[in-house]
Amino acid sequence: TDELIVENSLVKLTFDTTTGGLKTIEMNGIREDIHQSFGIYKGFRGNNGEANNRSSGAYVFRPDGDIEVLSSNQVDLTFYNGTRVKEVYQQVNEWVSQVIRIYDEVNRVEFEWLVGPIPADDEVGKEVITRFSSGIASKGKFYTDSNGREMLERVRNQRETFDPNMSEAISGNYYPVTGQISLQDDEKRITLLNDRAQGGASLNDGELELMLHRRLLNDDAFGVGEALNETQFGTGLIARGKIYLILDEASEKPKHAERLLQHELDQHFWKFFSKSNGVPSVN
Amino acid sequence: SENLESLSQAMGIMQHHDAVTGTEKQAVARDYDRMLFKAIVGAESNARDALRSLTNLTSGEFESCLDLNISACAFTQSTANNVVVTLVNPMAHASTQYVRVPVKNENYIVTDEKGREIPSEVVPVPWQVLALEHRSNGTQHELVFRASVEKVANFLIRVLPSPKSVVKNTAQFPQEKAIDE
């Protein structure tokens, strides 16, 4: 068939088997068309002589042109149908892949991404993002956490207290995301929770994106004095991490479940291993 | 106290904005790595002493696997014996979470402290995630089970001698490609 449906008692995912991409998500009694893609921003390379000639580097994100979307072509798809966990493996290209999983009785979707080594043979630095696109009419508004604490409202191309120069419209709309980023309309709300500090934005209504991995070939002259080009293994780093997605009804305040999940992500169980033929008891 | 002080100091240094955002020089990144690794390994002996006291496994190794996030664990890779995994919940309230332990492709049974079987399954780690061209790894599967933990809980992972029942539960799309392969 041209659709792969992956579901448990709480979550239903639909994939397009011809493109390999995610099509819809159903959970909490809500259904939404959500398309996920991966993309590359080419890092600007300048001589750092003037502000408009500054390179993209460790401190500054300056894309050279618009995004190049990776997943528009065929994505290889493999499905593992377990009883407690169901997993979909997506191979986007040689150095971008992902596992999408749902656990039984868990009300969220897990995206475990793997990016790298980012090729630099073409002498172009690359900044890799993932983007979730939906039909939610967010009207330019989205929300990011304040260093893990309260959620702050962000408005695209605006600042709260001054008129910004938005000549760099992509990076000018990026905000730090250390816990979660969300958007909503009157009915639906999408929240992405991450496992590390990342940059994030909503460049179009209904869209959320997160920066996953960067490899850049120039220093940005903001102090570090070297390019963000980690080559200690000869080829560049492989980064692996998780994003959790919750689709729920709209709410004026962050949901309890989202806040609880954020704590669980930061403070998951510590695991210790011992050899034993019997199970010890806790005193 | 020395071990805990060392971990406390390392964590303090990791609050620097360069460590949080990754804007440090590469040599500094390696130094942070060295410092944090040394501090964690030192504090593991405190955790071991505490867990030997908190459980009746007085000779338990209580080893950590610092590569769990990349589906690798030297302890479960090297041993063919039964393994106890002790879960510590750092939160101030009980929590239920799925646990993934890198294992060989064997037939396992997981039991809790009362000897009750906990439903579990062995899931293959996809080859692209294993990144085998970049690292060797003998644990190409993960044992997945759901654990409810108030503060500390033990689970026994027993290797069963019986052969694993062969169930084909993977499918590849598009189907034509799978047939070709």
Side-chain angles (χ1 to χ4, degrees):
Chain A
T1 68
D2 57 0
E3 279 190 350
L4 167 68
I5 294 174
V6 180
E7 66 180 320
N8 61 23
S9 57
L10 298 173
V11 182
K12 182 177 178 181
L13 309 175
T14 308
F15 293 85
D16 183 331
T17 55
T18 54
T19 65
L22 178 66
K23 272 172 74 177
T24 59
I25 297 179
E26 278 182 66
M27 59 190 293
N28 294 313
I30 292 172
R31 180 181 188 279
E32 180 62 26
D33 292 340
I34 297 177
H35 173 74
Q36 187 205 8
S37 57
F38 290 87
I40 298 171
Y41 291 110
K42 291 176 187 166
F44 183 78
R45 302 185 77 173
N47 61 11
N48 298 328
E50 296 169 10
N52 63 359
N53 215 354
R54 191 180 291 276
S55 296
S56 197
Y59 282 96
V60 61
F61 166 42
R62 287 197 84 200
D64 185 1
D66 207 355
I67 192 171
E68 180 188 321
V69 177
L70 285 176
S71 62
S72 54
N73 297 323
Q74 176 71 49
V75 174
D76 279 344
L77 209 62
T78 307
F79 172 45
Y80 171 80
N81 187 21
T83 50
R84 276 153 288 275
V85 60
K86 298 177 193 302
E87 302 189 339
V88 173
Y89 312 143
Q90 290 178 319
Q91 181 74 34
V92 179
N93 65 18
E94 283 181 5
W95 47 278
V96 176
S97 65
Q98 181 173 245
V99 180
I100 302 175
R101 54 173 73 96
I102 51 173
Y103 287 103
D104 194 33
E105 294 180 54
V106 175
N107 211 4
R108 59 177 180 260
V109 187
E110 181 177 308
F111 297 81
E112 186 166 28
W113 51 268
L114 186 89
V115 177
I118 297 175
D121 303 343
D122 54 0
E123 296 294 316
V124 176
K126 298 174 189 70
E127 319 198 31
V128 182
I129 64 103
T130 186
R131 180 181 282 176
F132 295 84
S133 309
S134 72
I136 294 177
S138 50
K139 295 178 184 167
K141 287 184 183 175
F142 60 109
Y143 304 84
T144 61
D145 68 290
S146 172
N147 205 21
R149 295 177 177 85
E150 84 267 42
M151 298 297 285
L152 300 180
E153 183 181 286
R154 314 293 193 182
V155 183
R156 194 163 53 245
N157 297 327
Q158 288 183 31
R159 294 293 188 276
E160 205 172 6
T161 55
F162 63 98
D163 290 328
N165 175 351
M166 293 305 295
S167 56
E168 302 199 25
I170 298 170
S171 47
N173 279 303
Y174 256 71
Y175 287 89
V177 181
T178 56
Q180 51 179 296
I181 180 170
S182 63
L183 57 75
Q184 63 182 25
D185 59 14
D186 293 338
E187 296 171 2
K188 301 173 185 175
R189 172 190 183 91
I190 294 179
T191 304
L192 302 178
L193 297 105
N194 55 1
D195 63 346
R196 67 196 64 194
Q198 292 171 314
S202 173
L203 300 178
N204 292 294
D205 285 356
E207 274 186 11
L208 290 173
E209 71 181 54
L210 286 169
M211 177 76 74
L212 303 180
H213 191 15
R214 314 171 71 208
R215 187 177 183 189
L216 298 162
L217 306 178
N218 288 60
D219 175 39
D220 58 17
F222 268 126
V224 68
E226 59 189 42
L228 188 63
N229 183 12
E230 296 147 303
T231 57
Q232 63 263 48
F233 302 115
T235 54
L237 294 189
I238 301 173
R240 175 173 163 182
K242 290 179 181 174
I243 297 168
Y244 297 85
L245 184 148
I246 297 175
L247 174 66
D248 206 347
E249 61 185 19
S251 165
E252 284 182 16
K253 293 178 181 174
K255 299 273 185 165
H256 175 67
E258 292 162 8
R259 182 62 79 195
L260 197 64
L261 174 58
Q262 195 181 318
H263 288 169
E264 282 183 6
L265 298 183
D266 289 341
Q267 304 191 65
H268 46 76
F269 296 158
W270 303 342
K271 304 178 188 79
F272 296 92
F273 298 89
S274 305
K275 285 178 207 151
S276 175
N277 288 322
V279 58
S281 56
V282 176
N283 292 332
Chain B
S1 296
E2 202 176 306
N3 288 337
L4 294 180
E5 182 66 20
S6 170
L7 180 59
S8 175
Q9 286 182 0
M11 287 307 297
I13 291 166
M14 297 308 133
Q15 307 305 305
H16 187 277
H17 63 85
D18 274 349
V20 174
T21 57
T23 45
E24 74 278 50
K25 278 183 186 287
Q26 191 58 45
V28 177
R30 292 198 193 104
D31 193 42
Y32 284 168
D33 188 357
R34 177 196 62 81
M35 201 183 298
L36 196 54
F37 176 78
K38 193 177 167 193
I40 289 173
V41 170
E44 275 178 357
S45 44
N46 297 64
R48 187 177 304 116
D49 288 347
L51 289 168
R52 281 176 176 169
S53 172
L54 285 168
T55 68
N56 62 0
L57 191 62
T58 51
S59 60
E61 295 96 333
F62 296 106
E63 277 198 20
S64 294
C65 291
L66 298 182
D67 288 338
L68 284 176
N69 62 320
I70 55 169
S71 306
C73 177
F75 191 89
T76 56
Q77 180 181 332
S78 62
T79 180
N81 299 320
N82 299 332
V83 170
V84 166
V85 55
T86 303
L87 301 177
V88 176
N89 175 9
M91 289 188 288
H93 54 80
S95 178
T96 299
Q97 298 175 23
Y98 274 92
V99 175
R100 298 178 78 95
V101 178
V103 291
K104 295 174 185 169
N105 189 19
E106 307 269 2
N107 198 5
Y108 299 95
I109 185 167
V110 180
T111 52
D112 67 9
E113 286 164 26
K114 292 179 179 164
R116 294 174 300 203
E117 185 179 344
I118 304 293
S120 64
E121 67 188 282
V122 175
V123 178
V125 178
W127 65 266
Q128 54 273 50
V129 172
L130 286 170
L132 286 173
E133 69 271 36
H134 299 287
R135 65 185 172 104
S136 61
N137 184 7
T139 49
Q140 298 182 8
H141 291 74
E142 284 181 311
L143 179 68
V144 179
F145 63 95
R146 196 167 189 236
S148 296
V149 182
E150 266 191 45
K151 207 60 212 172
V152 181
N154 297 297
F155 295 87
L156 177 64
I157 301 172
R158 206 147 50 90
V159 187
L160 294 182
S162 58
K164 192 173 169 57
S165 59
V166 179
V167 180
K168 182 169 168 48
N169 46 12
T170 58
Q172 195 167 19
F173 300 91
Q175 297 287 355
E176 298 78 24
K177 184 167 181 182
I179 291 164
D180 287 348
E181 284 180 353

